[in-house]
Amino acid sequence: MPAQPARNFPPRVDLFRTALSRIQTPVILADREDRIIFANRPAEKLLGRHIVDEPLSALLADPMFDVSTVDTVGAAPQWVRTAMAGVVPATIEALDGEGYLITVRESAAVAHAADRQPADELTGLPRRRELIARLKGALADARRSHARLAVHCLDLDRFKFVNDTLGHPIGDALLKKVVQRIVGACRKDDLVARVGGDEFVILQTEIDGQEAAEALSRRLVDLVSRTYLLDGHTVNIGVSIGIALSDGDATPEALLRQGDLALYQAKSGGRGRFAVFEPSMDSVMQERRQLEIDLRRALALREFELVYQPQFDLAESRPVGFEALLRWNHPRRGRVSPLAFIPLAEETGLITQIGEWVIRTACRQASTWPSGLSVSVNVSAVQFRAGSLVETVVSALAQSGLAPYRLDLEITESALMDDTEAVLATLNRLRGLGVQISMDDFGTGYSSLSYLHKFPFDKLKIDQSFVRGDGAGAGSGAILRAITGIGSSLGMKTTAEGVETEEQLRRIRSEGCTQVQGYLTGRPMPADTISDYLDRHPWDDVTA
Ligand code: C2E
Ligand code: MG
Ligand code: MG
């Protein structure tokens, strides 16, 4: 066989190339200048990288090996150093002085490969290392043949919840069924790898374009979300997918990173969907990463502060407490709103530490107030899941000496949505300590009424949108009335949030709200101005 560069093979030789590509034995061809001119897929898979154009001598394991001696070696066994299987026996044959043919003894290669790189035991799928190796080969193929390929990064939605609630055997059974559906949706040549507990990557080769990739992802989103029957349980999960496309011009790592960025986009877009990578996702991600770095530093550098907004009792016409609201005094960005960083803090889990700081600080500061005043603290759904909330509250109360009934924890419906039973257990333990529990932003979630039935909240905070009547028009009055009605019949207080005008105050009073919190009765203020505020403020004028 002539030792010419792979790209210049005459057409007839392309046929041989194709044939060599198809056989299962790893085959490598080198020219007499020690340059590899061809490696079939099994060879690249075994070596763990694309090797065409590399020196053959670099592959060979024996440091004493000198390529000039190959001619005389003839068919004597040699050893090849591989990424996937360590050193394996190979046969090197000189081809009439024109080049070399290297074949790896397949059984040895496979046996070693199985040792070093076990497939995933549960699903039998290859893992990340094999994926990277295959992706490398596929990218090289795509570059040569001007074909496109796609990687699909999959992350199951709600899998962890199923696993935690129904137990690991059911979780395992579910994963197997999911894998069956994924594999069933792919072509035989596509590679499906399991790269994490509930994360998979599909390598889809030789596609005509983005539509083919989108079609596969669309099919997967549909198939995976169909109901599963497992051991008498019906289970529903979903999948989010990020797609990255390449025509060979990328490294495996870069392509997988793009797939991950697109996956992140799909998840933040509401899960159960796919997104295709776009360069703009990169800059969004960089900003996010910077914000995350800043956020981690902020705790250490004491850049957080709590401001306090008064809550008024309408019947008593006096402030009965303050809500602690988090502020971030950023050295460059200035004062950052919690709405800008709490979602990221929740996603990264940092909210647990920040939230702990909030609870401890609020208890400590409130313990210096007159004893008739309570402090409300916002608690994120993530803090409930973290499992340390009760201990944090116990310790914050003990350290500050604040009476438990003066601490009021505000939770939103999202805290109850995920894992209702576990959250209810936590709420009951907190209630057992004597702490008050309020439902925040009431009316903006999905199924508030069933939660009211399950847990006796002390207070419902009615979302600002109903108080202002934005959007809801004339209906918002009816909603206000309905909520205060539910509150009074269940023995819960109702607080109208966001009251800014006398007119709104008059309205919420006539609808029967028991408390008000808004700019009209007081804006959020720094902790050290509270006593002045209490001394100075003409309460009766404001709420009369
Ligand atoms: P929220 O708990 O519903 O707090 C009420 C928000 O409405 C506060 O915004 C407050 O400043 C604002 N507000 C009060 N009265 C009025 C008014 O009359 N008009 C208008 N336009 N707004 C009013 P803020 O401080 O920006 O906080 C936004 C949200 O961030 C809070 O909503 C809460 O969900 C969250 N948050 C604040 N602090 C914390 C915290 O320490 N932990 C957690 N997890 N979330 C927090
Ligand atoms: Mg709140
Ligand atoms: Mg609220």
Side-chain angles (χ1 to χ4, degrees):
M1 185 168 295
Q4 281 173 12
R7 292 182 265 303
N8 299 335
F9 279 155
R12 205 42 202 278
V13 175
D14 263 343
L15 188 64
F16 289 106
R17 241 169 65 88
T18 309
L20 280 176
S21 305
R22 292 288 155 90
I23 62 173
Q24 295 300 310
T25 308
V27 172
I28 299 163
L29 280 174
D31 66 16
R32 66 178 154 198
E33 268 81 48
D34 186 37
R35 197 169 56 103
I36 294 169
I37 55 170
F38 174 80
N40 69 358
R41 219 182 263 188
E44 292 201 333
K45 188 173 144 187
L46 183 69
L47 290 158
R49 64 177 192 281
H50 177 54
I51 53 166
V52 170
D53 288 341
E54 275 185 23
L56 169 62
S57 47
L59 272 191
L60 300 172
D62 184 353
M64 301 303 287
F65 181 85
D66 172 2
V67 73
S68 65
T69 66
V70 166
D71 267 344
T72 55
V73 169
Q78 288 286 330
W79 302 89
V80 170
R81 189 185 289 118
T82 71
M84 308 307 288
V87 174
V88 298
T91 304
I92 302 178
E93 283 175 76
L95 303 171
D96 296 328
E98 295 284 7
Y100 308 102
L101 166 67
I102 300 95
T103 48
V104 175
R105 276 229 312 280
E106 201 207 347
S107 57
V110 170
H112 280 267
D115 270 4
R116 299 293 175 104
Q117 178 67 36
D120 172 42
E121 241 173 62
L122 178 69
T123 60
L125 293 179
R127 313 235 33 165
R128 183 181 293 274
R129 259 169 68 182
E130 178 162 356
L131 167 72
I132 302 260
R134 287 279 294 274
L135 189 49
K136 234 169 225 170
L139 283 165
D141 286 350
R143 196 159 46 236
R144 275 195 295 269
S145 58
H146 306 290
R148 299 191 86 187
L149 60 83
V151 298
H152 302 248
C153 296
L154 285 71
D155 188 311
L156 302 183
D157 306 325
R158 294 184 302 280
F159 173 74
K160 191 179 173 308
F161 175 63
V162 173
N163 209 33
D164 290 350
T165 51
L166 297 179
H168 292 230
I170 298 236
D172 284 356
L174 174 61
L175 275 178
K176 283 190 192 163
K177 292 214 169 182
V178 169
V179 167
Q180 276 172 12
R181 292 187 191 180
I182 293 174
V183 171
C186 293
R187 288 175 315 184
K188 220 174 115 269
D189 289 344
D190 297 340
L191 176 79
V192 182
R194 185 178 181 206
V195 297
D198 62 349
E199 291 163 37
F200 302 88
V201 172
I202 299 170
L203 166 57
Q204 186 186 21
T205 50
E206 290 172 34
I207 55 171
D208 334 321
Q210 187 165 329
E211 299 73 40
E214 289 184 3
L216 175 58
S217 268
R218 193 173 296 117
R219 201 154 64 237
L220 289 167
V221 166
D222 173 49
L223 285 173
V224 173
S225 71
R226 295 190 188 172
T227 302
Y228 300 80
L229 241 184
L230 297 164
D231 203 17
H233 300 275
T234 55
V235 174
N236 287 292
I237 57 162
V239 63
S240 303
I241 307 178
I243 304 174
L245 293 135
S246 174
D247 38 21
D249 251 16
T251 64
E253 291 77 14
L255 202 59
L256 288 170
R257 198 175 145 267
Q258 293 178 354
D260 271 340
L261 287 171
L263 171 61
Y264 171 75
Q265 178 79 16
K267 282 203 259 183
S268 55
R271 301 171 191 271
R273 63 184 68 202
F274 66 87
V276 181
F277 172 78
E278 289 164 24
S280 66
M281 291 175 186
D282 233 354
S283 54
V284 169
M285 220 46 198
Q286 310 249 309
E287 271 173 40
R288 213 180 94 90
R289 207 165 297 128
Q290 187 56 48
L291 185 68
E292 188 186 332
I293 293 168
D294 287 359
L295 206 48
R296 284 186 193 279
R297 258 203 342 236
L299 257 180
L301 298 182
R302 302 175 186 276
E303 289 170 4
F304 290 120
E305 180 193 349
L306 292 181
V307 293
Y308 293 91
Q309 184 176 32
Q311 299 173 325
F312 268 79
D313 186 278
L314 285 169
E316 298 179 31
S317 277
R318 67 169 186 97
V320 287
F322 289 83
E323 176 173 7
L325 295 163
L326 187 58
R327 296 293 178 263
W328 179 8
N329 300 310
H330 190 284
R332 276 175 293 110
R333 299 170 212 232
R335 194 166 252 208
V336 186
S337 155
L339 300 174
F341 65 87
I342 284 188
L344 180 65
E346 289 180 327
E347 243 171 72
T348 54
L350 268 177
I351 192 70
T352 342
Q353 284 159 273
I354 298 174
E356 174 166 352
W357 178 86
V358 170
I359 293 171
R360 290 185 185 282
T361 308
C363 288
R364 197 180 64 240
Q365 293 182 331
S367 70
T368 66
W369 304 343
S371 61
L373 294 168
S374 63
V375 64
S376 301
V377 175
N378 293 286
V379 180
S380 146
V382 178
Q383 289 171 266
F384 273 89
R385 269 180 252 135
S388 53
L389 184 60
V390 178
E391 286 92 300
T392 300
V393 169
V394 168
S395 136
L397 289 172
Q399 270 183 9
S400 62
L402 187 76
Y405 71 88
R406 292 177 64 195
L407 176 63
D408 165 37
L409 300 179
E410 296 192 359
I411 71 164
T412 57
E413 283 171 65
S414 62
L416 283 160
M417 258 165 52
D418 279 1
D419 190 357
T420 317
E421 293 310 315
V423 173
L424 284 176
T426 305
L427 284 177
N428 282 312
R429 286 177 67 199
L430 290 167
R431 171 60 61 73
L433 300 174
V435 169
Q436 314 265 327
I437 312 281
S438 300
M439 180 169 275
D440 203 355
D441 303 339
F442 187 70
T444 57
Y446 300 97
S447 45
S448 318
L449 295 182
S450 70
Y451 300 138
L452 295 188
H453 185 62
K454 287 187 179 143
F455 187 79
F457 290 92
D458 295 287
K459 186 157 81 182
L460 302 179
K461 299 191 75 177
I462 307 169
D463 192 67
Q464 321 196 346
S465 53
F466 304 112
V467 172
R468 297 221 200 88
D470 355 308
S476 62
I479 291 173
L480 263 180
R481 207 169 313 133
I483 297 177
T484 55
I486 292 170
S488 77
S489 57
L490 294 174
M492 301 173 186
K493 284 170 264 178
T494 43
T495 302
E497 289 192 86
V499 171
E500 292 180 353
T501 65
E502 295 288 348
E503 164 58 21
Q504 288 164 353
L505 180 65
R506 200 193 47 69
R507 232 184 59 186
I508 59 127
R509 192 194 280 280
S510 73
E511 302 299 2
C513 289
T514 56
Q515 291 188 355
V516 53
Q517 178 186 343
Y519 290 171
L520 182 70
T521 43
R523 289 192 175 244
M525 63 190 81
D528 57 11
T529 62
I530 288 181
S531 67
D532 272 3
Y533 174 83
L534 290 172
D535 288 345
R536 200 184 56 213
H537 211 89
W539 319 117
D540 301 318
D541 296 353
V542 179
T543 53

